[in-house]
Amino acid sequence: EQSSGINAEYGDIDTHNVVVNQVVYPDKDKEGCTACGLCGARARMQTKYLDQINDLYEDFHVVKMPQMPCEVKGVQMLRKFGGYLQSPPDMSKNSVHDLVKDL
C-alpha cells in the first residue's frame, strides 16, 4: 500500500518486484508438526499478511525471503542469500538450517 503512495508522490517508478523479508518457515518434526511453538505462532500470524500481499500484488513478482537463524554477513553469504531473490529456495523442501549450511 505504501508503494502506491510513493509511486504517486515521486512519479512513475518501475515496481514489478516485491520482497518480503524475514518470513518464518518453522522446522517440522518427524510427524510433520511444527517443532517450535513460538515459530509456529509467528508463522500463523504472518500468514494473514502474506495472504494480503499475495492479493494486493498478484501481478507482481513476490519473493519471500526467509528469516535466518543467524546474521547474513560477509561477501560470500550476501551473494548466496542475494541469489535467492532471483531463485528463491523451495521452503517446503528445505529448512532455514539447510540454507545456512549452503551459505
Side-chain angles (χ1 to χ4, degrees), residues 5 9 11-12 18-20 24 26 34 37 43 46 48 76 82 87 90 97 99-100 102-103:
E9 184 176 343
D12 189 27
V18 175
V19 178
V20 183
V24 174
T34 301
Q46 286 183 344
K48 170 186 168 185
Q76 181 180 351
S87 299
D90 183 352
H97 302 289
L99 299 180
V100 169
D102 290 340
L103 294 177

Side-chain angles (χ1 to χ4, degrees), residues 7-55:
N7 220 4
E9 184 176 343
Y10 293 104
D12 189 27
I13 299 173
D14 185 17
T15 52
H16 290 90
N17 299 292
V18 175
V19 178
V20 183
N21 285 314
Q22 299 182 351
V23 176
V24 174
Y25 294 98
D27 290 334
K28 305 284 184 178
D29 61 19
K30 293 178 183 176
E31 289 80 36
C33 299
T34 301
C36 168
L38 179 62
C39 298
R42 172 65 65 182
R44 285 189 298 278
M45 287 180 0
Q46 286 183 344
T47 299
K48 170 186 168 185
Y49 300 109
L50 293 172
D51 289 343
Q52 288 177 353
I53 288 167
N54 288 334
D55 289 343

